[in-house]
Amino acid sequence: MIISAVVAGVAVLAAPAPTSAAVSSSSTAATTPLSVRGVLTLTLPGTWHVYGGGDQIRVVTGACARPRGHYYEPNCQSFWLLGGQALKTGGEGFQPYNPRRGPFYPAVDVPPCATDPSLGQVFGKAVAAGYRAVGAGHKARYRVWPGRCVRGNGEQKSTFSQREWYLPKERILIVDQWNTPGLTTVLKNATWS
């Protein structure tokens, strides 16, 4: 899948309901394997649901009845696994994604905050930078970007953190705005082919 539209300067990523390209999970399953780009396998809790495929996979981990597919879709507890196409326009202003310059931010304006669509999100400088394990023998460039949810006048109403794990050789980026419990462990226990 690729960026399919631009709405008010914000990239809209297509992520349909689970299909044969996506992994569906049963509420009775303890875990579900997810293959990412044919090289990385994550073992997900059976309660997490996978949407999309290829270069844009969304893993819903909590409240979100059915994601519509927008990257900036408020009130959908989830994280993204992104690849080549999304990374080409994943920097601010639809520039190529580069974790040294800024967070994954495929927009030219202020997109809606993840927790409240009536507020905009604004990022500060990374508060954590380093490397984190993603499976044995692979280290991702890790960044935590502080985010603020603000009104149009700049008044801050809440905060969040956007965590990113970037594997440049494999061109895989994991983006989490919900501080997803268990995600760090899932990534540490990943396997590579």
Side-chain angles (χ1 to χ4, degrees):
M1 291 182 199
I2 59 172
I3 293 176
S4 59
V6 176
V7 178
V10 177
V12 178
L13 304 177
T19 65
S20 59
V23 175
S24 61
S25 63
S26 163
S27 60
T28 60
T31 60
T32 302
L34 169 63
S35 177
V36 180
R37 304 191 80 210
V39 296
L40 172 65
T41 300
L42 304 177
T43 302
L44 306 177
T47 56
W48 293 3
H49 301 279
V50 178
Y51 295 83
D55 280 347
Q56 297 176 15
I57 299 170
R58 184 176 207 164
V59 180
V60 174
T61 60
C64 185
R66 184 178 196 143
R68 293 186 311 264
H70 306 269
Y71 177 75
Y72 293 113
E73 181 178 353
N75 299 318
C76 187
Q77 293 178 6
S78 58
F79 65 89
W80 287 88
L81 296 134
L82 304 163
Q85 285 297 97
L87 297 175
K88 286 181 182 178
T89 56
E92 186 171 1
F94 301 115
Q95 296 298 310
Y97 171 77
N98 181 334
R100 291 186 185 114
R101 283 187 278 180
F104 184 77
Y105 187 90
V108 294
D109 60 359
V110 178
C113 186
T115 58
D116 184 341
S118 70
L119 303 172
Q121 73 177 18
V122 179
F123 287 106
K125 295 185 185 230
V127 294
Y131 292 90
R132 297 290 188 275
V134 176
H138 287 77
K139 295 276 187 180
R141 293 179 184 164
Y142 179 75
R143 300 279 189 278
V144 177
W145 303 93
R148 299 183 306 120
C149 298
V150 299
R151 293 192 188 281
N153 64 4
E155 176 189 7
Q156 179 176 305
K157 299 305 283 181
S158 62
T159 62
F160 67 96
S161 294
Q162 179 165 304
R163 301 186 303 166
E164 298 179 356
W165 293 259
Y166 180 51
L167 296 142
K169 181 180 174 189
E170 296 82 5
R171 307 255 319 137
I172 296 172
L173 172 66
I174 299 107
V175 179
D176 176 29
Q177 292 185 327
W178 292 92
N179 199 24
T180 302
L183 178 56
T184 300
T185 300
V186 166
L187 296 175
K188 281 182 186 175
N189 294 327
T191 57
W192 293 89
S193 357

